[in-house]
Amino acid sequence: MFKKAKSNVNFAELEKEILSFWKTNDIFQLSLKQREGNEEFVFYDGPPFATGLPHYGHLLAGTIKDVVPRYQTMCGKYVDRVFGWDCHGLPVENEMEKELNITSKHEIEEYGVDKFNEACRGIVQRYTSEWETVVKRIGRWVDFENGYRTMDKSYMESIWWVFKQLWDKKLIYEGHKILPYCPRCATPLSNFEANQGYREVSDPSITIRFKLKDQENTYILAWTTTPWTLPSNLALALGKDIDYVMVQDGDEKYILAKDRLDVYYKKDSLPAIIKEYKGSELRDYRYKPLFPYFEELEDQGAFKIIIGDFVSTQDGTGIVHIAPGFGEDDALAGKRNNIPSVCPIDAECRFTEEIPEFKGQFVKKADHDIIDHLKRKSILVHKTKYLHNYPHCWRCESPLIYRAISTWFVNVESIKDQLLKCNEQISWMPAHIKNGRFGKWLSNAHDWAISRNRYWGCPLPIWKNEDSGETICVGSIAELKQLSKKEVNDIHKHFIDYIEIKSKSGAIFKRVPEVLDCWFESGSMPYAQKHYPFNNREWLDSHFPADFIAEGLDQTRGWFYTLVVIGGALFEKPPFKNVIVNGLILAEDGRKMSKRLKNYPAPDYIMDKYGADALRLCLLSSAVMRGEDLRFSEKTVKEIIRSVMLPMWNSYSFFVTYAAVDNWVPELTLEELQENLNNPLDHWIISQLYKLTAAVKLNMDEYNLQAAAICFAEFIDNLTNWYIRRSRRRFWKSQNDSDKNEAYHTLYFTLITFCKTTAPFIPFITESIYRNLKTPSMPESVHLADFPILPVTFSDKDLDGKMSRAIRAVSLGRYLRSQSGIRTRQPLSSVFLVSISRDVRDDLDSMKDVIAEELNVKNVVIDENEERLVNLSAKANFKKLGPELGKDMKHAASSITNLDHLEIDELREGKTIELSLANETIISITLDDIEICREEKAGFMAANESDITVALDFTLTETLKLEGFAREIVNRIQNMRKDLNLDVTDRILINYTGPIMIQKVIHEFNSYIMGETLATSINKSEKNDHMETFMIDDHECCFAVEKS
RNA sequence: GGGCGUAUAGCUCAGCUGGUUAGAGUGCGUCCCUGAUAAGGACGAGGUCCCAGGUUCAAGUCCUGGUACGCCCA
């Protein structure tokens, strides 16, 4: 016996009950246990930063990370799901600094690195309970208890192992490189960190003049947006093929790009051009340094004109000031031209004593003073503001400085081919990421700067002898113990910086101060999460690469990249086989979601109001599953409630209502049922069910979650608005005949199978429905069931076609009724279904009953003589004729349009017709070469769509009219039943008053009315207060209904 | 400046390898139906398929060049 379902369901409440059911009964654990020993489906969970609360992006990725494992589990796989936390790095340090009211590295060291790091350790778990709450609320099943943390000793030791592997493969080196550097955090950032903070800023844009040596009053005009780099200027770069001019401006001569003249001079006062050159002609010209600080470097090749391919005439003067210590182009050009490099700034980007005039000033702040200085010396010729995108520190928002830094690198460029090969083996969703965004990024990969001059992170396991520069790389804690002869329990910076290694010769090695980029740590996750290879040595053989990972588009240069670099370098394999890359969730206004702007509804609010299922399905049905942006709005969640959740619930509620009335229980299996189906409606919905399950499986196996999810609404629509609508009466028949039993079975299995199919997507509502519908022999949770794979014999394409023709005929009939103004409740004598096609006629004939009932007509007349109702014309079949005729196509099309009725008939009889075209070509055509168009004849009540024409006989006989009245009366009484909240099985007593006409109807259709409304009596009485008054056509009548 | 993606109805989006009235849902208007439904059905209005060239008998679809937006990198 099934419990009745609440008709006013509250999904959020229902979900909370399900959550507690899962928890109490340990369903997640059971779902794993049930598959123990089966083939594994390996999933890696990318660790979020342990600081900050989860937002929609996390919910989205979390949903994907839930749907796929649930599906794979239902398909029989064992899917371990372990949560992870990214605990190290600047995000945490930053949070701690704020809390300690500290703003510089200097202050951290004063405070004490040990205290600082321990404080960091203390706060990383601050939000874990909030995370757990939200992740669980959205319905995600994942193991929190055994989650990995990048700060755990075991995890860190594996990182050392990874590092040592790279070291042994000679993929780690120390180098100087121009890197984005945060002056506040006093650390270089990786390039992909730098770009997280691009923002439009206004910088000074100045043009300055460099006096050429050996030439009277002649200046080169150069341009820069970083005045503070001018003291470090060591060269000027020109484009080889760019045209430059020397112009006379008063007493002075200036050199600049020809294309830039009109920017510096007004059109009507262009200066005289004295000379023109290509850039290459000016190579090696020498100029006088602007500042005296590095004058001596002239002997080493500085202060001359060089050629650079990066020079353009887009901005400035077409002449670029080169400070090799402060720009990637600059450094490279300097190296090529044997120009030395200077970098006169300290760790916090303040000028050193090399620049005495500005010593101690933060470089960006010194811009102003430097400009002033240049002005006084008459070096400055032009000054304005320049708006451009400039990178900022992604944590503290300081503008970054590009500067030469000593850094440890992974030599990614040397293994690039390897990595590209790995990428070939990865299947990306959406596919274009593979050779697009990710592939392109990989082919342009630079060496990866992995050291950070910070504190809270996994230390680089490198010990260095200051004098000789020799280095030792340590690959494990045991190795460190052995080399140092010290006890080691924790390998965070503040524990191991004091540990020294003494070589046999007595040389002392000290650890280098840097810690690792936290992306190196998360990229080591496949190994470190299980403390590989120190533990679980064999584990990796069967758990690498992962079958599946999923993260956002922003991880292209993040986790996806670091996983591939490390996996590729270590094992020459891609670390994952399939990846879903989700897009960004934007606010409804198309902008980023912003707490400050409050331009989006909080996830809690959405889940409390509509439930997690609706939110999940809303996300899963959208193109955000294919890496596109989603404008999220409450409306789209509501739409899911309307189109899927409610109709699904109502179908279920309908079923249990009647099953309870009849005490119905299933006796057959799905297979037995399928073999014994008689009613075409049942056959049809089972066939639709087959189509649904097959489509969901196909799309899930291709990781196309969106395509799978959008199938649900269509199925639900077919179920509610055709199957149940047309089958409704089959459930009321008072006797348990076999058709009724068949209907019950069909709807029952349809609901259960639908639940199983959609359970990975909407785990709550499906669980709730399934739990009520299941028989004792079925698993206690839908998530312990197998994903339904229906035998192909369930599919009946023939019937699908028949039904869709019937639906089309009905829709045409409804159209005719709406045109004529005769409502469906008014029975009509006949509908004419006309088609020239025998197949169509046969199909419609087999669906006669369904059509008659739906259109409320007494007779269905099938006919082939469509020409009585429609005019025929012909149109070329472009797809077929186009390739054959080529240029003649246009002429043929117009000749075909002119075919008359008789010619069309000839073609339909199978004859071939010769057409002579306007250009005198003769072609012969058959029926296949044309498409027949039909247009309803004026004056006839007919409607046509392709090969079906429908006409209705609108003649109303007295009997039909009376029956129409009877149905009106039934309708009014049913509405009253509903208003009284009567149960579907309640019997009623009817009293009425009305004119003679109504009395006649009630007399004649007495048993019909009573049967339809479950009335035990219907009596004429005096009008009283309990009665409701209705107008039926022009007849006023009153009814009173009470429960008998 | 470069890479990748997107651009179709008021809104959210479908549209397969090019084929002739460009679709759905929602919103709006009118009508209809209801022993499950918070629903449902029918019809109507609403489109220079971002722009400009090109290829082709035929372009929303392919090519080239632009524009706008998003993300990423300089």
Side-chain angles (χ1 to χ4, degrees), chain A residues 434-493:
Chain A
K434 179 183 199 153
N435 295 314
R437 184 178 275 241
F438 190 76
K440 288 265 158 57
W441 167 255
L442 214 50
S443 9
N444 296 321
H446 294 299
D447 288 354
W448 174 15
I450 48 162
S451 59
R452 296 287 177 274
N453 302 54
R454 297 294 308 186
Y455 308 96
W456 180 238
C458 183
L460 262 76
I462 301 173
W463 271 255
K464 193 176 190 175
N465 177 275
E466 293 282 335
D467 304 325
S468 65
E470 274 180 278
T471 48
I472 299 172
C473 178
V474 176
S476 70
I477 293 172
E479 192 181 343
L480 180 58
K481 281 183 185 168
Q482 188 224 323
L483 287 169
S484 67
K485 317 228 169 13
K486 294 259 168 62
E487 201 45 42
V488 182
N489 287 314
D490 188 312
I491 53 175
H492 278 98
K493 183 175 168 67

Side-chain angles (χ1 to χ4, degrees), chain A residues 448-604:
Chain A
W448 174 15
I450 48 162
S451 59
R452 296 287 177 274
N453 302 54
R454 297 294 308 186
Y455 308 96
W456 180 238
C458 183
L460 262 76
I462 301 173
W463 271 255
K464 193 176 190 175
N465 177 275
E466 293 282 335
D467 304 325
S468 65
E470 274 180 278
T471 48
I472 299 172
C473 178
V474 176
S476 70
I477 293 172
E479 192 181 343
L480 180 58
K481 281 183 185 168
Q482 188 224 323
L483 287 169
S484 67
K485 317 228 169 13
K486 294 259 168 62
E487 201 45 42
V488 182
N489 287 314
D490 188 312
I491 53 175
H492 278 98
K493 183 175 168 67
H494 54 295
F495 289 99
I496 62 165
D497 273 4
Y498 309 103
I499 297 180
E500 292 178 350
I501 296 174
K502 206 186 244 177
S503 74
K504 280 174 195 156
S505 60
I508 300 290
F509 286 72
K510 291 183 172 175
R511 200 188 73 81
V512 301
E514 291 96 342
V515 296
L516 279 163
D517 176 9
C518 57
W519 291 105
F520 189 96
E521 305 188 24
S522 53
S524 304
M525 171 273 181
Y527 333 99
Q529 67 167 338
K530 297 280 175 180
H531 196 204
Y532 180 86
F534 307 100
N535 282 321
N536 302 301
R537 270 200 96 93
E538 298 79 30
W539 182 87
L540 201 76
D541 298 337
S542 54
H543 295 82
F544 182 91
D547 288 298
F548 170 67
I549 64 170
E551 305 290 337
L553 195 58
D554 50 333
Q555 296 298 330
T556 314
R557 273 86 169 162
W559 200 49
F560 297 148
Y561 178 65
T562 60
L563 277 176
V564 168
V565 169
I566 295 175
L570 260 53
F571 297 106
E572 304 179 9
K573 269 195 220 165
F576 49 91
K577 294 182 199 160
N578 299 285
V579 53
I580 294 180
V581 185
N582 64 262
L584 243 73
I585 299 191
L586 303 172
E588 197 171 358
D589 57 11
R591 291 193 286 178
K592 278 190 178 167
M593 285 187 170
S594 149
K595 272 185 195 151
R596 192 174 51 79
L597 294 174
K598 292 202 174 104
N599 58 352
Y600 66 97
D604 287 356

